[in-house]
Amino acid sequence: MQSEWQRRYDQVRTITPSKQIRIRTTPSPERPMKLKFAQSPVQALYTTSTKATVILPLQNEYKYTMPETRQGCRSIELSNHLGIVMGGHSHRESLEFNFIDLQNGQWLQKQQFQDWECLKCRMKESNTKLGSHFSINYDTEEQTIYCFGGERIQGVRRQSNTLSKIQNHQVQQFVINGIPPRRNHTSTLMDNQLIVIGGFEDMNTKPNYFGDIHSINLSTMKSTQLQKQFMKNGLAYHQVISVQKKNQYFEEKENGIYLFGGKDQEDVFNSDLLQIVIGNQLQVNVVQTIGQQPKARRNFSMNYDQNSQCIIIFGGTNDFEIFDDLYTLNIQSKIWCHVQLSGYLNFQPRYDHCSLYQNEKIE
C-alpha cells in the first residue's frame, strides 16, 4: 500500500515537475541526489556537528533527458552549474553523455548539447568507447576531460591502459606504456601530470591488485613509476582527492593527495586516511585524526570542499553492510564530523554511485 507521503509527493511531482521539494527518499541514476552542507572553516575548528540537506530533483520525461540505469559510469563537474555523466554499462556499453544542472538538480535536454551528440555519433562510427570503471578528471583551465583505464566489453571483459582525452568535443585515445591495464583505480591531476594509484586487473584465475603509483605526462603521454608498492597487497575501490592550495590561512604541509578506503588482494579493507606527498621524494603518511572516523569501505564517494577545507565521504559498503552515513573532515583541525542519513524519510543506504557533487557555497 502506498504511504501518505509517497502519494502526496507523486501528486506534486505530476502537477509541478519544475518545483524542487526537499524531502528524503531513495535517489537513483534517474533521481540524482544533491547535498548541501552548512559548516564554515571557523566552525570546523571548534565543532563536530555538520548539517546536510538532501534534495531530490523532480523529473518529467517530456522535459528532461534522464540517463539510463547502469554501473561503472563516471561523472565530473564541468563548471559551477554543469555536471556530466558518461560511460558505464548495463546490457551494453553506454555511449551517452548526460548533463545535469547542479544548481537545481535537473537533468538537461540533449538538444541543448548538439556538439556532444555529434561526438557520440563519431565515437559510435569509429567504435571508440570509454568503457566503465575508469578514472575521470577535468582540467578547468584547458577545459579537458581525462579518462584513464577501466574495462571494455569486447566479447569478454578486458581491462584497459588507454587514456582518453576529450577537448573541444573531440576525443583522442593514447595507450600508455609502462602502466598495466586496470580498473577501479583512482587518478588525480597535479600540474601537467595525471597521477594514477592502485586498481586491479581481472586475470583468468584471480584479480591482480596493484599497489603502485604512476604519473602520466599529459604533454608527451609518457608514464613514470613513482612507487612500485605503496601497499603490500595492492589496493582498489578506494577514493582520492587532491589538495593543492597556498595562502596565509592555509599551511602548505596540508597539501597532497588524500586517499581513503578500498580493499586489497586478500579482501582486507583499508581504514586509514593516507596523505601522499609527491616531491623530490614520494611520501605516504597516515593522517592522525580526532573523533569518530568512517568505517573502512569501498564503492563510496569522496570529494573536497575548498570553502570549508573539508573532505566529504558518503555511502559505500564493506561487503557486510551498506552505509547510509556522511562524514566530513577538516584537513587543518583533523576533526571528523558525522551525519547519519537513515533517520530521514525513506533514505536508503547506497554504494557504487558515481560521484558526489559539492558546488554550494558553505556559510
Side-chain angles (χ1 to χ4, degrees):
M1 183 176 178
Q2 192 179 43
S3 63
E4 176 63 19
W5 77 264
Q6 184 66 59
R7 184 187 65 78
R8 292 175 59 191
Y9 169 67
D10 286 342
Q11 182 182 28
V12 173
R13 181 174 59 176
T14 303
I15 297 173
T16 58
S18 62
K19 184 177 180 181
Q20 196 175 76
I21 301 177
R22 298 190 177 190
I23 65 173
R24 277 77 178 181
T25 187
T26 306
S28 71
E30 290 79 15
R31 295 181 179 181
M33 186 177 64
K34 180 182 178 184
L35 300 178
K36 287 185 178 181
F37 300 93
Q39 184 177 17
S40 69
V42 176
Q43 288 175 327
L45 294 174
Y46 301 104
T47 182
T48 57
S49 64
T50 302
K51 297 179 181 179
T53 300
V54 179
I55 301 175
L56 176 71
L58 302 179
Q59 304 298 341
N60 182 317
E61 60 181 328
Y62 299 106
K63 185 176 181 180
Y64 308 114
T65 303
M66 298 180 292
E68 59 186 358
T69 302
R70 57 192 187 269
Q71 64 169 319
C73 60
R74 295 294 182 256
S75 61
I76 199 75
E77 182 179 356
L78 298 181
S79 68
N80 289 332
H81 310 305
L82 185 66
I84 184 172
V85 178
M86 62 179 71
H89 68 86
S90 51
H91 61 286
R92 59 180 174 82
E93 288 185 307
S94 176
L95 290 174
E96 298 295 328
F97 297 103
N98 296 98
F99 294 88
I100 185 170
D101 187 319
L102 298 179
Q103 281 196 313
N104 59 30
Q106 299 290 2
W107 294 109
L108 302 175
Q109 293 178 306
K110 289 184 179 180
Q111 289 82 350
Q112 298 176 241
F113 304 95
Q114 286 299 320
D115 290 336
W116 288 93
E117 286 297 293
C118 291
L119 172 59
K120 182 186 76 173
C121 293
R122 292 195 299 271
M123 292 175 65
K124 188 175 182 179
E125 291 174 357
S126 61
N127 197 29
T128 301
K129 298 180 179 180
L130 298 175
S132 59
H133 303 289
F134 51 88
S135 64
I136 186 169
N137 291 271
Y138 182 64
D139 187 326
T140 54
E141 293 184 2
E142 299 294 330
Q143 297 185 345
T144 303
I145 299 173
Y146 294 98
C147 305
F148 177 75
E151 184 174 83
R152 313 286 167 84
I153 301 176
Q154 299 171 333
V156 295
R157 298 178 186 273
R158 297 183 184 276
Q159 283 70 58
S160 167
N161 60 346
T162 298
L163 176 66
S164 299
K165 176 182 178 180
I166 303 176
Q167 186 179 42
N168 297 325
H169 308 103
Q170 302 287 334
V171 61
Q172 294 177 281
Q173 293 192 316
F174 307 87
V175 175
I176 306 299
N177 296 318
I179 304 181
R182 61 191 64 201
R183 55 167 283 187
N184 290 101
H185 53 286
T186 55
S187 66
T188 186
L189 291 169
M190 184 175 292
D191 298 325
N192 194 42
Q193 307 285 323
L194 185 68
I195 309 300
V196 179
I197 303 173
F200 73 91
E201 183 177 10
D202 198 358
M203 312 298 284
N204 293 329
T205 55
K206 187 178 181 180
N208 179 32
Y209 279 65
F210 300 105
D212 52 6
I213 302 176
H214 296 263
S215 69
I216 302 173
N217 186 307
L218 297 176
S219 297
T220 64
M221 296 301 170
K222 304 293 184 181
S223 69
T224 302
Q225 187 179 78
L226 303 178
Q227 186 86 313
K228 185 176 181 180
Q229 201 77 3
F230 83 99
M231 296 288 279
K232 180 182 177 182
N233 294 316
L235 189 69
Y237 299 103
H238 53 286
Q239 292 290 346
V240 299
I241 58 97
S242 179
V243 178
Q244 304 296 327
K245 191 173 181 180
K246 186 186 297 184
N247 60 43
Q248 58 179 330
Y249 305 108
F250 194 85
E251 296 186 46
E252 190 174 350
K253 67 179 182 180
E254 312 298 348
N255 285 336
I257 299 170
Y258 288 82
L259 180 152
F260 181 76
K263 68 175 185 176
D264 66 13
Q265 185 90 38
E266 306 300 325
D267 285 335
V268 176
F269 281 76
N270 168 48
S271 60
D272 291 326
L273 176 67
L274 304 178
Q275 181 191 26
I276 302 172
V277 180
I278 298 176
N280 295 330
Q281 185 176 359
L282 187 141
Q283 301 177 36
V284 180
N285 306 312
V286 177
V287 180
Q288 301 301 318
T289 61
I290 302 170
Q292 178 187 347
Q293 72 177 47
K295 291 182 180 179
R297 61 192 67 198
R298 67 176 177 89
N299 294 89
F300 58 99
S301 292
M302 182 162 129
N303 213 327
Y304 177 67
D305 176 61
Q306 294 185 1
N307 295 311
S308 64
Q309 298 175 7
C310 282
I311 295 172
I312 304 162
I313 292 174
F314 167 66
T317 180
N318 62 3
D319 294 342
F320 294 99
E321 59 181 318
I322 301 174
F323 298 111
D324 53 2
D325 52 11
L326 182 147
Y327 285 83
T328 66
L329 176 76
N330 181 276
I331 61 174
Q332 294 205 63
S333 69
K334 303 297 190 298
I335 298 176
W336 284 108
C337 301
H338 176 224
V339 176
Q340 198 74 24
L341 299 176
S342 58
Y344 297 129
L345 184 59
N346 201 37
F347 183 85
Q348 299 274 335
R350 63 201 55 260
Y351 70 100
D352 207 18
H353 34 80
C354 59
S355 186
L356 182 151
Y357 290 112
Q358 167 40 30
N359 68 312
E360 295 296 324
K361 183 177 180 180
I362 297 178
E363 299 176 349

